[in-house]
Amino acid sequence: MRIAVLSDIHSNLVALDAVLDHAGAVDAIWHLGDVVGYGPEPDAVVARLVERSATGVRGNHDAAAIGGLEIDWFNADARAAVEWTRETIGDATRAWLAALPERLAVDDITLVHGSPRDPLREYVTDRLTASENLDTLGTRHGLHGHTHVPVAWVAAPDRVVLVHAQDGLRLALEPHRTLLNPGSVGQPRDGDPRAAYLVMDQEAGMVAWHRVAYDVAPVQAAIRAAGLPWRLADRLAVGA
Ligand code: ZN
């Protein structure tokens, strides 16, 4: 099985289509939540994932968009986008988001949005948090997003090692347990505006990270035309 793993698409259809085109023929598409929020095309993004039979989990923005999560702890731009998304999405999108589980285990891999122990809230950004989550994971490997930064946390025998996942990085799934973050399709935050995702090749036992350039201008124009905060458009040009 070759699986494209996508996270934090955030209603950015242009970035999603660029990634799907780049991935080409894959056996499955998994997503790690935050399918909606921030961006201008929530319904079209969900429709594309349905069309491609993608499976995955719920993110904090997905939960907030259907009223399932308090938005007090969202920053002003995120909150404005959640409110816009709530008013904009159609019934089919709302039903699809409502059916997403918080976690999914497929063979020896767990899919979550934030962290394995707190899927909707916790950010895995430091070694201790990664280590504690690897301890409670319950499967050999974990896939997560939420930070919008592509990295791998590798449980070496004596310590957890952080690997910054540059474009083209390949990593063997064995012999160590791992927590893998594909980065964000629709709103990267590592200073690289290109859409990020990873491909897991189960036969080869390898994962590979990729970056895909896409035209941010029409997405920025759509964000502004929708009346969403302009900062959400500006940040796409710089990947921040
Ligand atoms: Zn996100």
Side-chain angles (χ1 to χ4, degrees), residues 18-175:
V19 162
L20 292 174
D21 190 48
H22 186 269
V26 289
D27 301 301
I29 295 166
W30 291 352
H31 73 82
L32 307 178
D34 277 10
V35 170
V36 302
Y38 294 132
E41 297 192 81
D43 285 341
V45 162
V46 168
R48 180 74 79 246
L49 293 180
V50 170
E51 179 192 318
R52 297 293 302 264
S53 305
T55 52
V57 293
R58 178 184 303 184
N60 51 308
H61 281 258
D62 306 319
I66 55 170
L69 191 69
E70 295 303 315
I71 57 172
D72 314 1
W73 61 292
F74 282 61
N75 67 44
D77 289 346
R79 205 159 53 230
V82 165
E83 281 162 359
W84 180 89
T85 303
R86 277 181 183 170
E87 289 162 17
T88 304
I89 56 174
D91 291 344
T93 296
R94 194 170 286 109
W96 187 85
L97 293 172
L100 294 174
E102 281 191 15
R103 76 182 70 231
L104 205 58
V106 184
D107 301 324
D108 59 352
I109 301 160
T110 298
L111 284 67
V112 290
H113 179 63
S115 78
R117 68 181 174 188
D118 188 357
L120 289 188
R121 288 174 186 268
E122 188 173 46
Y123 291 88
V124 182
T125 52
D126 63 86
R127 200 167 267 109
L128 178 63
T129 305
S131 174
E132 289 174 354
N133 273 288
L134 278 158
D135 287 346
T136 58
L137 187 56
T139 54
R140 271 197 77 67
H141 302 285
L143 295 166
H144 73 113
H146 198 35
T147 65
H148 297 210
V149 176
V151 298
W153 300 95
V154 180
D158 52 339
R159 68 201 173 101
V160 172
V161 178
L162 169 63
V163 180
H164 289 284
Q166 308 290 345
D167 184 19
L169 177 79
R170 290 166 55 81
L171 187 77
L173 283 169
E174 298 300 330

